[in-house]
Structure formats: structure tokens, C-alpha cells
């Protein structure tokens, strides 16, 4: 099967990481795989040499012209390589790709990667999504909550496929863990990092030997640095920035905190569980955390914005070593549940179904 993925880049995001992993795995299975990049050719994720990268990053100064030209670039790639199916990731890219597919008869699958109730933020993009999504053939969602947002017609043409565990992730840590809680998240309002800081302060009260390390960059960095000083947590709460070795950095931590107001399916949460870290996450829409965490079994769920509940779970982990070890053992099982081979097979089956549908109506591309 000939598959073309369309995504912004292959660096710096959860959707991008999933595309890198899926395209590599599918190419190794013998499929012809192309990845069209529309924002940047920069690649920080490991990707198989068998995958062909296509450059659709040309910039245009006139905004309206740039939109049309970018869609045209994608279309030229579709015409040139004639894929059996095109798979587009993220709302902004999906809008371009729907337009680029016009007149090609190529099957188009759109993949949502965030909570559609909040993403995209711009009204114009939300209107474009509503108008253009019905023209796609099939849809892949990360959670049932994402899927339920859309019309019944779209739901009937869709499938929920979870993100895979990164196949390059190290084995779970087996020694004595550092007295460090950690979080891996963009420093943006969606992630509600102040809640992470507040919950840690409250939950570790009286235990100054514990610290919090936060990995990631974003627009709130300076504001959070000031907030840490205001809370008298300098030296205990550390903004570590983005890291290319984040798995090694966090694998021996005491626990993992995620305070997001909303998410699709958090890769950092999946990876923390795969490393054996006890995780405490907000039960945020669109339900990704709820679909992989069994509360008090392989992790903990707390209400969105509920600092007190998260602090209580932090205190519980600190004071109950037996519980911490039990949750850690259960969390590791996500490696089997979300194994890359299992997830890629779900994609292949779904894409083959899309390909079979296209055979009956495919016409030559002019």
C-alpha cells in the first residue's frame, strides 16, 4: 500500500512524533510511505530511511495567496506520487489537505490530535473545519470524547486509535527512585502548570527533601519563573527546559504530574506510565487520561483545576511506598496495551478499508 502522511513537521509535538513512529513502522512492514511537511523540514524524531520526506514548506508573503499555494503544493505531491490513501494530522493541516485533495479521487483520512472543543481557538478555523471535514472519507480520533464531538455522519466513518508507546523508550527503572516529582509539558495555558506547582507545594508540605522538575518550553516561561519565586520554591521547583534526553532525565523520578485543562491523548502521560512512574493526572476532556488510567490502580485521576485533590494524591504517594510500587507495576503494562506493532496494525487495517473503498471510484488524476 502507498501511504502519504501530511503534517507540519517532524519535530516538537505529539502529532509529529506519532507520524514519525507510524511512518517508520509502516515502511519497515513493506509499505511505500511518504511524509509531506508543510511548516518545516526540521526533523528531531527518529524516522526510517525508507520513508520519503516531501518538502511543501515554501513561504508566501501574501496571506491569502499563501493559503492557496500551500494547498496546491500538497496537491502536486498527491498527483506526483499517487498514494492509495492520504492521512493528514492536526486541524490546521487537515484544512489544507482537504482542499488539496479536490479532484484527485484519492482516499483522505483526517486525524484529530487534540480536544476539538478547544482546538482550534480561532473562530475562522473552526468554521473552516465544520465546512470542510465532511468532504474527507474517514477519520481517526485519539479518544471517544473527541469522536463524540462530531456529527453522527462523521462518527460513522471514524475509528478511535490510541497513540503508541514510543518504541525507543528505555526499560522501566528498577532502582531506588529520586525524591523528585516531574512533569513534561509545553509551558502554555492549556497545561495549567501553576496547578502542578501549587499541588506539589501543598502535597509535599513538611517534606523539603522532595523537589519538582518541569521539562518543556513555552510562552509562559518567564511568568512561571516569577511565580516560583513568589511561592518561595526556588531550588525546589526547577524549569528544566526542553530536553532531547527526557526519558533518561525522568525515568528514576518519584512520580509524574499532569494538570492539563484539556488534552487529546497525552504522549508524555503514556511515556511516564511506560517508564513505571506513578502518574497523577487531571481527568480532562476529551477523556484521554480516563481511557488509559484506572484510578488508584495504574495511576490517579483528579478533577480539572482541583489543586487540593492533586496535592492529596501527592501526599498519598509520598507516605505509602507499597501503593507507589503497586501503581508503578500496573502502569508499566501500558507497554503491551499500546505497543507500536498493535497500534500500527490497527492503522493498516483501517487504511486498507479506505483503500478498498477508493478502488471502486478511483479515476485517473489529470
Amino acid at each position: 500500500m502507498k501511504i502519504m502522511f501530511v503534517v507540519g513537521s517532524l519535530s516538537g509535538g505529539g502529532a509529529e512524533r506519532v507520524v514519525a513512529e507510524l511512518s517508520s513502522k509502516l515502511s519497515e512492514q513493506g509499505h511505500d510511505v511518504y511524509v509531506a511537511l508543510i511548516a518545516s523540514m526540521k526533523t528531531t524524531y527518529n524516522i526510517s530511511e525508507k520513508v520519503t520526506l516531501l518538502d511543501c514548506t515554501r513561504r508566501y508573503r501574501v496571506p491569502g495567496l499563501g493559503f492557496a499555494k500551500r494547498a496546491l503544493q500538497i496537491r502536486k505531491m498527491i498527483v506526483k506520487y499517487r498514494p492509495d490513501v492520504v492521512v493528514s494530522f492536526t486541524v490546521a493541516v487537515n484544512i489544507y489537505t482537504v482542499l488539496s485533495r479536490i479532484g484527485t479521487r484519492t482516499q483522505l483520512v483526517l486525524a484529530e490530535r487534540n480536544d476539538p472543543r478547544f482546538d482550534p481557538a480561532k473562530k475562522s478555523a473552526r468554521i473552516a473545519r465544520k465546512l470542510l471535514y465532511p468532504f474527507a472519507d474517514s477519520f481517526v480520533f485519539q479518544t471517544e470524547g473527541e469522536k463524540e464531538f462530531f456529527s453522527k455522519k462523521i462518527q460513522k466513518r471514524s475509528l478511535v486509535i490510541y497513540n503508541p508507546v514510543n518504541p525507543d523508550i528505555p526499560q522501566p527503572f528498577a532502582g531506588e527512585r529520586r525524591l523528585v516529582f516531574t512533569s513534561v509539558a509545553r509551558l502554555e495555558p492549556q497545561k495549567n502548570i501553576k496547578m502542578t506547582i501549587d499541588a506539589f507545594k501543598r502535597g509535599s508540605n513538611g517534606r523539603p527533601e522532595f523537589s519538582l522538575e518541569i521539562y518543556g518550553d513555552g510562552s509562559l516561561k518567564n511568568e512561571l519563573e516569577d511565580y516560583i519565586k513568589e511561592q518561595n520554591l526556588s531550588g525546589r521547583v526547577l524549569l528544566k527546559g526542553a530536553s532531547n534526553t527526557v526519558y533518561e532525565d525522568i525515568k528514576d523520578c518519584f512520580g509524574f504530574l499532569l494538570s492539563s485543562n484539556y488534552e487529546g491523548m497525552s504522549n508524555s502521560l503514556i511515556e511516564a506510565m511506560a517508564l513505571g512512574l506513578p502518574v497523577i493526572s487531571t481527568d480532562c476532556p476529551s477523556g484521554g487520561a480516563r481511557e488509559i488510567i484506572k484510578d488508584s490502580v495504574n495511576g490517579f485521576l483528579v478533577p480539572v483545576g482541583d489543586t487540593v485533590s492533586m496535592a492529596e494524591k501527592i501526599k498519598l504517594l509520598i507516605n505509602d511506598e507499597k501503593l507507589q510500587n503497586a501503581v508503578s507495576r500496573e502502569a508499566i503494562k501500558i507497554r503491551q496495551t499500546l505497543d507500536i506493532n498493535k497500534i500500527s496494525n490497527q492503522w493498516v487495517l483501517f487504511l486498507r478499508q479506505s483503500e478498498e473503498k477508493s478502488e471502486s471510484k478511483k479515476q485517473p488524476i489529470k
Side-chain angles (χ1 to χ4, degrees), residues 38-78:
I38 72 168
S40 171
M41 290 299 291
K42 181 180 179 181
T43 302
T44 57
Y45 296 119
N46 293 332
I47 188 163
S48 172
E49 294 181 354
K50 297 179 181 179
V51 176
T52 302
L53 301 183
L54 308 176
D55 188 351
C56 297
T57 63
R58 184 178 175 185
R59 292 283 187 266
Y60 298 89
R61 293 184 179 180
V62 182
L65 180 62
F67 184 92
K69 289 290 188 179
R70 182 163 286 174
L72 184 59
Q73 286 183 70
I74 299 171
R75 188 181 189 283
K76 287 180 178 178
M77 294 300 177
I78 295 174

Side-chain angles (χ1 to χ4, degrees), residues 67 75 88 115-116 121 158 178 180 187 212 260 287 308 318:
F67 184 92
R75 188 181 189 283
S88 178
D115 189 332
S158 69
R178 292 187 295 139
V180 176
L187 306 185
L212 170 64
S260 296
V308 174
I318 289 175

Side-chain angles (χ1 to χ4, degrees), residues 194 201 223 225-234:
K194 285 185 180 179
K201 179 181 180 180
E223 181 180 328
E225 287 176 340
D226 292 340
Y227 188 72
I228 290 168
K229 293 176 182 177
E230 292 171 8
Q231 298 300 313
N232 298 314
L233 290 171
S234 298

